[in-house]
Amino acid sequence: MASAIWSSIKSLITPPSTLQDVFRELPLFDQLSQRQMKEVERIVHQRTYRAGEVIFHSGDTGVALYVLLAGEVKIVLPGETSDEDLEVARLSAGELFGELALLDSSPRSATAVAATPTEAAAIARPDWIDLIHRQPGIGVAILLPLAQLLAVRLRAANRMTSEESKQPVLAEES
C-alpha cells in the first residue's frame, strides 16, 4: 500500500520529459554531445495540431523534419477522392517523419495528418543547413543515422512494391 502511494506521489513530482530526452531516444540524435544537443535545440520549433489538422500535404515543398512529442500522426497517400486515401503509417510519440526535407526541398510524397491532438518538434531545413555550416560535427553525427533510416525505409517500400507486383526491386536488399 505504501509503495503504491509513493509511486503516485513520485509520478506527480517527476518532471516531464525534456525535448532533449525525447531526441536522445532517436538514433538521429543519440550520438550528439550535450553541447551539440543544445545547438540542435536552438533550431527546434514546437508546434501543436488539432485532431484532423493537416501538418503538410502531398506535393507541398518539404521544409522541415518533425519529431512527434505527443499524439499520433497518420501518413497518407492521397487517392483521387478522400475516400480513396491510403493510410501507409501511423506514428506515435518518439517517432519522426518528413526527414527527406532536411536533404532537399522536393515536394512531399505523402500527407501528414494529426490523428489525435498532437505536439511535434520541427527542424526547418534552412535552420538545419545553417547549423551544419557552423557546426559540421553535428551534421556528420546526424547524417549517417539519417542515411541508415532512409535505407531501411527504402528497403521496406521496395519489399512492399515487390510483393504487390511480384517483380524484382531496383534497390539492393542487403
Side-chain angles (χ1 to χ4, degrees):
M1 175 80 164
S3 72
I5 293 171
W6 174 245
S7 294
S8 296
I9 293 169
K10 190 174 166 185
S11 70
L12 293 173
I13 59 174
T14 302
S17 295
T18 65
L19 189 61
Q20 193 169 123
D21 292 337
V22 174
F23 273 56
R24 285 263 179 238
E25 294 296 316
L26 296 167
L28 253 58
F29 305 100
D30 69 355
Q31 296 300 308
L32 297 179
S33 69
Q34 188 85 359
R35 187 178 62 74
Q36 289 173 319
M37 196 59 229
K38 287 199 180 298
E39 290 294 321
V40 170
E41 282 183 44
R42 289 183 185 155
I43 64 169
V44 170
H45 304 278
Q46 289 188 262
R47 303 279 188 251
T48 57
Y49 301 93
R50 296 180 311 278
E53 189 173 353
V54 173
I55 298 167
F56 56 76
H57 288 93
S58 175
D60 288 353
T61 299
V63 295
L65 161 139
Y66 296 86
V67 175
L68 244 119
L69 303 175
E72 289 186 341
V73 169
K74 297 186 299 187
I75 305 298
V76 178
L77 293 176
E80 288 184 32
T81 68
S82 62
D83 292 340
E84 295 174 354
D85 289 352
L86 175 65
E87 183 176 323
V88 294
R90 187 171 286 247
L91 308 173
S92 57
E95 295 185 273
L96 60 87
F97 60 100
E99 64 279 357
L100 287 175
L102 291 186
L103 302 176
D104 68 16
S105 298
S106 294
R108 299 284 191 182
S109 59
T111 297
V113 180
T116 63
T118 297
E119 185 177 346
I123 298 177
R125 186 173 195 278
D127 295 335
W128 160 250
I129 296 298
D130 181 57
L131 175 63
I132 63 174
H133 282 294
R134 289 184 291 109
Q135 301 275 335
I138 293 174
V140 170
I142 292 174
L143 285 172
L144 181 58
L146 178 60
Q148 292 167 336
L149 171 68
L150 294 174
V152 166
R153 290 186 177 178
L154 177 60
R155 286 187 187 107
N158 283 340
R159 274 192 293 280
M160 285 175 39
T161 303
S162 177
E163 289 169 6
E164 289 174 9
S165 68
K166 300 294 183 203
Q167 296 180 8
V169 294
L170 298 176
E172 197 172 297
E173 287 289 331
S174 57

